[in-house]
Amino acid sequence: MRKKIVAGNWKMNKSFEQGINLVDDLINSFAIHQCPEILKIIIPPFIHLNEIGKKISSIPDIELGAQNCSNNDNGAFTGEISADMLSSCGVKYVLVGHSERRIYFNENSSLLSQKIIVSLKHNITPILCVGENLEERNSNKHLEAVKQQLKEAAFNLSPADFSKIIIAYEPVWAIGTGVTATSHQAQGMHNHIRTEINKKYGKEISESISILYGGSCNPENTKELFSCIDVDGGLIGGSSLKANDFVAIANSF
Ligand code: PGA
């Protein structure tokens, strides 16, 4: 059985106080609307991590994730945060290759590959984000584009390391736009990703990897998206900023 996961990427939202309030609301709401079989990952900005880590440390089905980490181990890299530091705050997951980082911060596959390796070294599970842009979708190049991203960032890993990662399919045209992929489009791409993993690493690994869908998920559309056979959960942006919506999404499996 693959792990079912709902991850909330807060992006650059919430002051420290607002973030703590949101986590308190999430903890209280999940205590009422329990779904212990679903792994919930909270991915706040860096400055919230330590305090939120303490708050959720005794809750087994809620874990902490970071939005980014340095590709370097430690040292003179002003402004960067290392995987080692994240680990020391209780971080268990890290987003790698979110399209906003690829587009606004020019992150390329070689950098992403280094980030995956350094995270794994510090026992942090990378959530590798892949997804085509609108032009690639409209010109029917979406399958090739996603395959390329996957290959370049992660197919250099050993089978043992690859089996530890999580993939998030996030079509760029669906992120923050209110336009979500149809369940048919999501299932098609998730199946494609799993097939490519199967070709490279074999059936056992391809069947064990969780593949999340991201892009304008909300409590109204996740029930259908999560019912797709190859969709193992969601990476949620905007709807993770409201406790009720995020809890409803986690309960929509
Ligand atoms: P969205 O963001 O849910 O606001 O579309 C998803 C993401 O960027 O991970």
Side-chain angles (χ1 to χ4, degrees), residues 9 11 98 170 174-176 215-217 235-238:
N9 173 15
K11 309 193 180 184
H98 190 283
E170 298 204 305
I175 295 178
S216 296
C217 285
L235 179 53
I236 320 296

Side-chain angles (χ1 to χ4, degrees), residues 238-249:
S239 291
S240 71
L241 298 172
K242 290 190 204 128
N244 288 347
D245 284 355
F246 190 65
V247 172
I249 289 171

Side-chain angles (χ1 to χ4, degrees), residues 70-117:
S70 172
N71 56 315
N72 291 295
D73 249 325
N74 276 303
F77 299 98
T78 302
E80 290 287 273
I81 303 281
S82 72
D84 193 18
M85 293 171 190
L86 295 175
S87 175
S88 73
C89 292
V91 169
K92 297 276 163 41
Y93 298 86
V94 65
L95 296 180
V96 175
H98 190 283
S99 63
E100 286 151 17
R101 300 233 36 109
R102 291 179 192 258
I103 295 166
Y104 304 136
F105 302 94
N106 299 318
E107 295 199 354
N108 60 27
S109 295
S110 133
L111 182 79
L112 303 182
S113 160
Q114 292 169 33
K115 290 187 180 197
I116 290 174
I117 291 166

Side-chain angles (χ1 to χ4, degrees), residues 61-72:
D61 52 333
I62 305 183
E63 295 285 3
L64 193 59
Q67 296 176 18
N68 185 25
C69 75
S70 172
N71 56 315
N72 291 295

